[in-house]
Amino acid sequence: MSEHVLISQENRILKLQLNRPEKKNALTADMYSQLAEALELASNNPETRVILITGSGDSFSSGNDLNDFLQNPPQGGSSPVFRFLNAISRCEKPIVAAVNGLAIGIGTTMLLHCDLVYASESALFQLPFVNLALVPEAAASLLLPQRMGYHKAAELILLGSKFSAAKAKDYGIINDLFTQESLLENANQIAQELSQKAPEALRLSKMLLKRANSQHVTETMQTEGQLFVERLKSPEALEVMQAFMQKRQPDFSKFS
Ligand code: COA
């Protein structure tokens, strides 16, 4: 197993730290598998009351590793990325995220499945799926319009531009901002506070908060996943991946 996800358990808090800072914590199939396994195990581990997710270095995550998209694309529902999305969306224990920097693609969409999300004031977010000739995943096409309204969601998804932590807070996808230096300490304190509460009351309350939407989330993830896998093989997406490797802008002029 790589050290690209650091997993530690302390004071009833399971900490999952994305740890590939030289690649801005871009997520590989191997990393998704480690995260999925840790989340699945946490559900049945009474020692774990809360999960805390953060990143190493100056990024939270730059999203799916684009080399992996080319060389090791997800094939279907049992692929590591979908296993991770199922695990994080169904996790019964509260998840706190400390977004310490760039959060791109799944770096942002995974936050829609966390319960409390804190970010450094300088964190930047982006949903670049259309720019990559892909479609949203992680039920973002359902959860974003629900949380912020259609027009704001359409702005983030269709334009795919980077947006600030202040805007992410204003649009309702993060709870609060902290300075870079104090982010982890604050997120830790909040995780500690949660960890001291009655675990069954927490579990049931989270279940109730998510209950009305859970079937829609599952169905949307399936529909998005099928389209996503198809799009990855499309000539438009291949042009984007090649352009990224060749450090140039994609050229869509030849597509109708
Ligand atoms: N997949 C693979 N490699 C990635 C990556 C990703 N998603 N994000 C960053 N990297 C790599 C870069 O290729 C570079 O590798 P190198 O040093 O071997 O050349 C390294 O991480 C550092 O990134 P760099 O681009 O030099 O840093 P930057 O600060 O100028 O820009 C980003 C950072 C994240 C804005 C930029 O790398 C980027 O746009 N990455 C792609 C993000 C993306 O589209 N993700 C997919 C979402 S579905």
Side-chain angles (χ1 to χ4, degrees), residues 18 20 25-29 31-32 35 61 63-65 106 110:
L18 311 176
R20 206 182 164 215
N25 300 326
L27 289 157
T28 60
M31 291 166 76
Y32 288 127
L35 290 165
S61 173
N64 204 106
D65 186 293
I106 201 165
M110 76 166 85

Side-chain angles (χ1 to χ4, degrees), residues 142-227:
L142 172 77
L143 296 172
L144 286 171
Q146 279 180 346
R147 301 219 177 140
M148 58 187 62
Y150 178 81
H151 291 101
K152 286 176 179 163
E155 172 200 333
L156 301 186
I157 297 261
L158 301 184
L159 287 175
S161 307
K162 289 195 177 68
F163 55 100
S164 67
K167 187 162 182 169
K169 185 177 175 206
D170 184 43
Y171 278 22
I173 54 174
I174 60 177
N175 291 85
D176 220 341
L177 305 179
F178 293 108
T179 62
Q180 181 70 24
E181 300 71 40
S182 69
L183 171 69
L184 197 55
E185 191 188 326
N186 278 298
N188 240 320
Q189 260 176 27
I190 291 158
Q192 291 275 0
E193 192 180 327
L194 282 173
S195 74
Q196 284 154 23
K197 297 194 183 290
E200 188 61 0
L202 264 185
R203 190 184 69 76
L204 289 170
S205 299
K206 174 167 176 170
M207 183 272 289
L208 288 167
L209 279 164
K210 300 237 169 194
R211 192 181 64 95
N213 221 15
S214 61
Q215 187 60 28
H216 297 308
V217 167
T218 305
E219 283 166 12
T220 305
M221 286 207 299
Q222 280 166 1
T223 306
E224 288 173 345
Q226 280 164 9
L227 283 174

